Amino acid sequence: MRILRGLSIGMLGLACGGIVMAMSVGSEPATAQRACTPNLTASQWSPVMISFDTGSVKISSQDQQKIANAAKLAKDNYIQQICVTGFADKQGDAKMNQLLSQRRADTVAAELRKHGVAQNVLVVNGSGEPGGSAFSGANISSSADRRVEIRFAR
């Protein structure tokens, strides 16, 4: 949930056993984050990986098709939660990479909404830089780290 202007309070996460509140005063956006609990792991529910170029939030046409397929799969199977998590590699400033990872996640979530996924199904988070390369665990920058993961829960 985004709170854009003035004093606003929002509550989320009642189904998770608690309430998450976000409060914002002024014009800075604030994001209330819900816990994301993907629980579908069969091959058809494997995470969908969307890749990005360094410093970019632009989705390639190939990845746009992956997002369209993920949206259709979710709608056809009555998915209750879609976890959209953005990542950035270790190049550059950690704070900027956190913002970049959130922008990537927001971009993918917007594309899912264009394909009919309801806003209340989406849990969107930026995770910044991973602990190491996504596949090797090494403390290096990797193109695999510049991604958004789409995971599903029922």
Side-chain angles (χ1 to χ4, degrees):
M1 174 173 62
R2 291 215 180 251
I3 304 165
L4 296 176
R5 299 216 183 267
L7 175 63
S8 299
I9 298 176
M11 292 184 285
L12 297 172
L14 294 174
C16 299
I19 298 173
V20 176
M21 296 181 72
M23 183 166 41
S24 175
V25 177
S27 61
E28 287 299 312
T31 302
Q33 296 186 359
R34 295 186 284 167
C36 197
T37 54
N39 61 5
L40 298 175
T41 57
S43 62
Q44 77 186 65
W45 302 111
S46 296
V48 177
M49 303 293 188
I50 307 301
S51 301
F52 293 88
D53 291 332
T54 301
S56 175
V57 297
K58 185 176 185 222
I59 301 171
S60 71
S61 59
Q62 179 181 359
D63 283 336
Q64 285 178 348
Q65 187 58 51
K66 284 184 188 178
I67 294 168
N69 292 343
K72 181 174 180 357
L73 184 69
K75 289 186 306 182
D76 290 351
N77 291 280
Y78 307 101
I79 296 302
Q80 296 173 1
Q81 187 179 65
I82 300 175
C83 307
V84 181
T85 307
F87 297 90
D89 63 22
K90 293 183 180 303
Q91 296 179 38
D93 177 68
K95 185 176 179 180
M96 292 304 296
N97 285 337
Q98 173 62 42
L99 293 171
L100 179 60
S101 69
Q102 183 66 50
R103 286 182 57 218
R104 286 175 173 160
D106 289 341
T107 300
V108 170
E111 193 68 24
L112 285 164
R113 285 191 304 274
K114 283 182 191 175
H115 291 285
V117 173
Q119 175 68 39
N120 66 330
V121 172
L122 297 170
V123 179
V124 183
N125 296 304
S127 287
E129 301 171 358
S133 174
F135 297 110
S136 70
N139 196 17
I140 58 171
S141 291
S142 166
S143 61
D145 295 330
R146 297 186 301 270
R147 72 188 188 285
V148 167
E149 293 180 4
I150 303 170
R151 296 179 182 266
F152 306 94
R154 236 190 248 171

